[in-house]
Amino acid sequence: MKLMSQDFSPRIRSVAIAGNDAADVTVRLDLSTVPLFKQQISSAIGEAENVILDLSNVAFVDSSGLGAILSCVRDLTASGGDLKICSVQQRVMVMFDLVRLPKIIGIHEDVNAAIAAFGS
Amino acid sequence: MPLDNFLIKREHTLLRSVLDHSMDAIIAIDSDSTIIEFNRSAEEMFGWSRAVAVGNYLHEMIIPEQHRAGHLAGMAYLRESGIGPILGKRLELIAQTSAGVIFPVELTVSAVDGEMIYVASLRDLTDRKLAEQHIERSDRLFRAISTASQQYIREGNVDETFAIVLNEVLDITESEYGFVSEVLYEPTGEPYIRTYALTNIAWNEEMRAIYDAMAPNLEFKNLKTLFGAMLTTGEVVISNDTATDPRRGGLPPGHPPLDRFCGLPIHHSGELVGMIGLSNRPQGYDLEMVEFLEPFLAACGNIIVTWRADKARVLAEAERKSAHDALEVARRREAEISAVIQNSLLLRRKPVLTPHGMDVGVCIMGFTAVTGDYCDFVTFNDRFDIVVGDVMGKGVTAAMVGSAVKGQLHRVVRRLQERTMLFGRHPEPQEIVGGLQSVLTPQLMTLDSFVTLTYAAFERRDGADSVTDITIVDAGHTPILRIRDGNRPHWLSGDNVPLGLADREFYMQNSHQVEPGDVYIFFSDGVTEAVNPDDVPFGKDRVEQVSVDGVLSRYDSEQIANALAKAVMVWTGERIDDDITIVVVKIDEAPSCVVVRKERAYCEFPVESSERIGFADFLETYLRDVPGITDYDRHAVIIGVTEAVNNIVEHGLLFQANQRIQLEIEARITDIEIVICDRGREYAEPPIKEISIEDNRERGYGWMILRRCFQDVALVRNPLGYNILTLQRKTGIVSEDAS
């Protein structure tokens, strides 16, 4: 697993979770990968305030993955920023829906929709 | 054989047979109390065999210690004087079994002519005494309700009224301490209580001073307590072992111990307005007691809300003494409130105890002033009765009549039960409605009012494990809609006239067979008669359509009731001027284990980290060809099982290598069941933690996710040292995020 950042404006940066092979859309954010995610996430976010977490390659998120995402939100909001999530696969969306995540974090169709949400 | 001998022998056989088949216990003794006959019923009643009993002293076998001396003295007197004051009389005494259990008996003793032999016939009164106690308890409850209401109406003093209420409820429930309180809210929305009455438990001089100065209006705001648990949930709190209850908050030093606690919410029109706390009932608290107290709690809610209205009126009068019309408004408001209050007494929330095999949902919407809708439930051990009715006419009279119907209903049921119990049955619906008719009709005729109602009894025939019959008495009420096989509507009705129109009406009942999956919808005419802006009534066809849609969508009974109410709201453009009462009963589908959508499948997998997701492939393959399952269900099952397995690996197997987990899955017609088995350490279900950004612990969401994926989660440790986790998901649920 690796994290790939891209800046959309001085204020907004997207971080995509990718597999070792760029075409791999079966990446898991779970007990086995969360330590790696946590190692890399702060440098991937860097100085950015507003972050879009792109989950298009992520096929599965478990409770520890959920905890890691919530921890990112916590850090960003503490420093005045925000985190939005985009491009969520169906199974991951069901898990977010079950825990009522949309009440806490904005979840968007794709990167552009997330950027637009930051703009407003 | 000489004829005499033959006759004697025959007489003997006959006597033996009479003795053996007598329902009563028959014991014969001689003049020094030695038992010489002990029949089969006596063996059953006292637990001694005839062989043991005969030849022993009566007082050593069945008379409790404290009565033995009295018995011997009586026998001695009888021997000397020949006078036996108890002979030939019917007496109630207590007796004792071989196991030392003491119970009430009815007894008659007669002397055998010319011999010093006495024959006692005894009957076990335990059941009758229990029934008497039950009836007495109910009567006291209704008397208490009426005393408290009258006290308030006469004096208007809420503290005194609730002092009476508290005494009664402590007495009836055999509780040691208690309080009656109002629920108020801080500006921040936090609930707290202010007591109207509480048992004086001052344990030292200082506390006594505080009680005397403040009582009865003390305020308690700590929510991390047992009563706090009730305040935050609005539900009944029962704790029969407060010492180990995680919800407890502890007591101030010196406070007398509270071993058992019960917090009863007082609701009014859906709002939590008060609370009764009880403690130290010797036998503990249970839902049956809560159910029993329900009418009492409704009456308390009534008094609290009336008191609030009175306070508001007094305030309005003081502030606007000069402005005549303002006062008029306040008066009208008072009338409206009192009507709404009556409704609260008439209408009941969902019953606390619903019988096995059926699901009951209630939706009640009260509007503006007044109609006399009412609904109520009566529970017998193998029968569940629903009463839905409407009092014609408006205003306080209608509300008062409704109140009377409700009160009388329970009285009539108890009285009839007292009689029918002797025949080993419950009162028939037609007997109950007939009983109501005879007590209410004179009153109704004077008031020029009448009452429509539907009385329906859901009954389980002998040996069946779910409801088999519905018996209906219809007294001029809207018919009942039955939906069978998911989409076949049928209206059930009768042709009796409403109560109060004819004083000699004989109420006919009719019975119908209940089938698994049936849905029954009871409603008031506020539903069918609600009109849209063009004055078109909602009508039966729309009731049918909305209900069938609800059933097809696999809603539970409460959701169907709510959907129907919502449809009426939309139809009228949210302008409804009648009350709406809807009760939906859903009979469970045939036991789901019988109907299998897909056979059980089994897998066993090692927990080495890389292979652990192997089970996900297994589930994926199995779920792919389960007919009719939604993607959402598929995902939820896999998400939930993943959390369950992670939890086992962490807490049961402690991440050790070379461990195995077994998993079994079966898709049935209404649910999917998964059983996961491991041989790890015993682990317990952790507390549920909701997600939040403020909370900085990152772990601990697993079990919450598991609970969201499965409606039923059961964890047991079996005697062979396996942890067995059973997960059940009702299928066909798209999203649970209804809130």
Side-chain angles (χ1 to χ4, degrees), chain B residues 107-118:
Chain B
L107 161 92
T108 50
V109 186
S110 48
V112 175
D113 284 343
E115 313 245 3
M116 298 284 263
I117 291 177
Y118 306 96

Side-chain angles (χ1 to χ4, degrees), chain B residues 170-181:
Chain B
L170 287 175
D171 242 32
I172 293 171
T173 63
E174 298 167 68
S175 297
E176 194 177 359
Y177 305 121
F179 62 82
V180 181
S181 65

Side-chain angles (χ1 to χ4, degrees), chain B residues 539-553:
Chain B
K540 280 162 70 176
D541 290 351
R542 284 185 190 80
V543 173
E544 240 178 69
Q545 194 191 328
V546 173
S547 307
V548 168
D549 285 350
V551 173
L552 288 176
S553 311

Side-chain angles (χ1 to χ4, degrees), chain B residues 373 388-389 454 477-481 491 521-529 539-540 543-544 547 564 580-583:
Chain B
D373 272 15
V388 178
T454 294
H477 200 64
T478 45
I480 304 167
L481 174 61
W491 294 90
I521 296 154
F522 302 75
F523 55 90
S524 57
D525 57 7
V527 172
T528 36
E529 288 171 10
K540 280 162 70 176
V543 173
E544 240 178 69
S547 307
L564 185 53
I580 287 182
T581 304
I582 301 166
V583 179

Side-chain angles (χ1 to χ4, degrees), chain B residues 394-406:
Chain B
K394 299 224 168 203
V396 179
T397 316
M400 294 303 278
V401 171
S403 192
V405 175
K406 193 172 162 116

